Amino acid sequence: MSQKVAVLGTGKIGEALLSGMIRAGWAPADLLVTARRPERAEELRTRYGVTPVTNPEAAKTADTLILTVKPQDMGTLLDELAPHVPDDRLIISGAAGIPTSFFEARLAAGTPVVRVMTNTPALVDEAMSVISAGTHATADHLAHTEEIFGAVGKTLRVPESQQDACTALSGSGPAYFFYLVEAMTDAGILLGLPRDKAHDLIVQSAIGAAVMLRDSGEHPVKLRENVTSPAGTTINAIRELENHGVRAALIAALEAARDRSRELASGNN
């Protein structure tokens, strides 16, 4: 944790990462940040005691650079960084859809790059961060990346060829659950419940179901069957979900998210 780490383009996810790293034991003095607006950089300094710098200063000073800008801004950022990044710097990209080869082609030969797809539950230390090594990244680079992102949730190593699928499942995944809760809340109102009570019922049910999935070791089909009594309320609801093609719609939605991730990788913004 004595190495200097810089977060470039520190938005909500970057700030969540900073906060988690500090709670996990990183010294604020070893953390650098860059931000597009000076007032944002000063806000981060005041809140966390980290040091705001320019992008070139970060490249020259930090041992690890975490790039958290939007995918469409990554090329411009790399043009700014390239003259200043030595080939022993670890580059961690958090940009959806952009392959490690994109960075390797624009930085000094041999620069280690690790690709990470995290998600917004990083804001509450419950992120799922998926990690893939570029051509020159070593086991130590992957372990260091896991140490950083482990501060805000779980990590999983996958081959880079699986990153687009992971982006569809977990990167975008929280939005699907929020969408489902929104729809179920509307249903609760239709059934006669006040919005706040419907919301509380659904959110706690979601938390309980998630904990059971995580901790029971049971297949989701088994857990669902445990709730589904013969000729009962649940099986009638499941029948309607199947009649309306919800399963097929989810599969199609995830395929669409994966395809968009591939489009981003090809530069089709």
Side-chain angles (χ1 to χ4, degrees):
M1 295 187 186
S2 62
Q3 288 195 340
K4 286 193 177 295
V5 176
V7 180
L8 281 65
T10 313
K12 288 184 178 180
I13 293 294
E15 182 176 356
L17 193 56
L18 279 176
S19 177
M21 290 171 70
I22 291 170
R23 290 193 301 276
W26 267 268
D30 291 329
L31 300 175
L32 311 177
V33 296
T34 77
R36 181 172 296 179
R37 296 179 292 107
E39 58 270 27
R40 170 61 172 164
E42 189 56 36
E43 176 185 307
L44 293 167
R45 182 208 298 272
T46 301
R47 187 173 297 165
Y48 300 106
V50 297
T51 304
V53 293
T54 66
N55 290 327
E57 287 171 339
K60 296 172 185 176
T61 306
D63 302 288
T64 300
L65 305 177
I66 305 174
L67 313 185
T68 63
V69 300
K70 295 177 180 178
Q72 57 266 34
D73 296 328
M74 193 62 76
T76 301
L77 176 60
L78 289 176
D79 289 342
E80 184 180 7
L81 292 178
H84 309 287
V85 179
D87 62 8
D88 62 349
R89 294 289 189 267
L90 171 59
I91 306 298
I92 300 175
S93 166
I98 301 183
T100 55
S101 58
F102 180 89
F103 301 87
E104 293 166 350
R106 289 161 175 78
L107 299 172
T111 300
V113 180
V114 174
R115 178 176 171 182
V116 179
M117 183 71 251
T118 192
N119 58 16
T120 55
L123 297 167
V124 292
D125 293 347
E126 291 291 349
M128 183 70 251
S129 300
V130 184
I131 296 171
S132 301
T135 305
H136 309 292
T138 66
D140 286 343
H141 293 131
L142 289 173
H144 184 52
T145 304
E146 288 174 331
E147 184 182 22
I148 292 171
F149 282 85
V152 292
K154 293 189 67 174
T155 63
L156 177 69
R157 294 188 194 185
V158 301
E160 188 169 10
S161 61
Q162 296 176 1
Q163 274 280 356
D164 292 324
C166 292
T167 297
L169 280 170
S170 67
S172 300
Y176 314 146
F177 290 102
F178 299 147
Y179 182 86
L180 180 61
V181 168
E182 178 188 0
M184 291 178 69
T185 301
D186 288 343
I189 295 168
L190 179 66
L191 296 174
L193 292 170
R195 178 175 294 275
D196 59 340
K197 287 186 171 60
H199 176 82
D200 289 348
L201 287 166
I202 295 160
V203 169
Q204 185 56 40
S205 296
I207 292 170
V211 172
M212 289 178 72
L213 281 166
R214 185 191 65 193
D215 295 346
S216 70
E218 296 281 3
H219 192 280
V221 169
K222 176 64 174 176
L223 293 173
R224 179 182 60 76
E225 287 176 346
N226 289 343
V227 188
T228 310
S229 303
T233 59
T234 305
I235 191 60
N236 274 271
I238 295 294
R239 180 187 62 187
E240 290 302 312
L241 291 173
E242 294 292 351
N243 286 343
H244 286 82
V246 171
R247 187 186 303 265
L250 283 171
I251 292 171
L254 291 168
E255 287 178 332
R258 179 208 57 197
D259 293 345
R260 180 55 181 154
S261 183
R262 290 175 175 173
E263 289 176 1
L264 290 171
S266 67
N268 185 5
N269 295 330

